[in-house]
Amino acid sequence: MANEIWALVLAAGASRRMGQPKQLLPAAEGSLLQQVVRRSLAADSCRVAVVAAQNGPVQRAHLEELPVHFITTGRSESGLGASLAAGLQELMSLYSPQALMVLLGDQPEVQSEAIRGVAGRFRQTGALIVQARYDDRPAHPVLFHAGLFPELLELSGDNGAKGLLRKYAEQIHYFPVAGPGPKDIDTPEEYRNYLLNAGLGNKGNC
């Protein structure tokens, strides 16, 4: 298990703007969170972990029998960055990851091809950072070499690793992905738009 790439799906958010746990809302492939996890696993290029809030709405049972490492954190109220750091810390304590790929549990439109491509580009180059670049913008997934783990462990707040992306902008290797980048689903309106775009009509109850 040493020297592997781990994908860490962040699912510890409070969903305040949605009014209910958005990660558990229906999607084309289970829930929003399940869809991100299933696509991460389908990429067949990394091991997968999920970090959720301790005593929060997302539980291991919500991932059914999916082969993921489930992590909980009591630091979720400190923001996305703190959850990322907590997830990485546990993975480092149990395994020896070569790199960490970050995904968001509220971006069900992320594609397995993007995950596979980012992992492949890292294996080819050993780059410090590899990020998917879509037609409209760079977006998730974004992968960090183990050399950046000490800085990732210091993260807090809701900006995640954006500061590191700015700091090391000249060292980012991009993997091109056709089409628009995956969107966050934070509000009922955004969720309804996702359902319509996915051809799911009124599947959700937001």
Side-chain angles (χ1 to χ4, degrees):
M1 294 183 184
N3 296 320
E4 291 183 318
I5 297 172
W6 276 85
L8 180 64
V9 182
L10 305 181
S15 304
R16 292 184 181 89
R17 295 168 62 192
M18 186 66 73
Q20 59 180 306
K22 60 183 177 180
Q23 303 94 334
L24 305 180
L25 291 171
E29 301 167 33
S31 66
L32 297 184
L33 175 59
Q34 284 179 351
Q35 181 155 312
V36 176
V37 170
R38 290 181 193 280
R39 293 183 176 188
S40 301
L41 293 167
D44 197 27
S45 58
C46 52
R47 302 194 70 196
V48 181
V50 174
V51 60
Q54 189 174 27
N55 301 318
V58 177
Q59 302 293 319
R60 179 64 182 86
H62 291 123
L63 295 167
E64 300 172 350
E65 300 303 317
L66 293 171
V68 301
H69 184 87
F70 189 73
I71 302 166
T72 60
T73 175
R75 299 170 56 195
S76 60
E77 290 298 321
S78 297
L80 181 146
S83 296
L84 192 164
L88 174 59
Q89 186 171 39
E90 175 153 333
L91 293 177
M92 290 176 65
S93 72
L94 297 173
Y95 313 104
S96 299
Q98 184 183 22
L100 184 77
M101 185 185 304
V102 180
L103 294 149
L104 302 183
D106 64 352
Q107 288 189 346
E109 295 169 327
V110 70
Q111 298 295 322
S112 297
E113 292 79 3
I115 297 167
R116 188 181 304 115
V118 167
R121 182 61 55 87
F122 172 74
R123 290 189 172 101
Q124 292 169 358
T125 66
L128 200 62
I129 300 173
V130 181
Q131 186 174 22
R133 180 155 58 190
Y134 300 86
D135 292 344
D136 55 349
R137 60 194 166 91
H140 289 87
V142 56
L143 177 149
F144 298 92
H145 186 285
L148 289 177
F149 286 179
E151 291 180 75
L152 289 172
L153 290 173
E154 298 298 320
L155 293 178
S156 62
D158 282 323
N159 287 326
K162 290 180 180 178
L164 286 182
L165 295 178
R166 289 191 295 268
K167 180 177 179 180
Y168 296 104
E170 298 301 318
Q171 299 181 57
I172 299 174
H173 283 233
Y174 291 103
F175 177 78
V177 183
K183 299 179 181 67
D184 295 352
I185 296 179
D186 292 322
T187 67
E189 181 180 5
E190 289 170 348
Y191 179 55
R192 286 191 292 270
N193 288 338
Y194 159 71
L195 292 175
L196 289 172
N197 291 335
L200 299 176
N202 296 319
K203 184 174 182 178
N205 57 7
C206 262

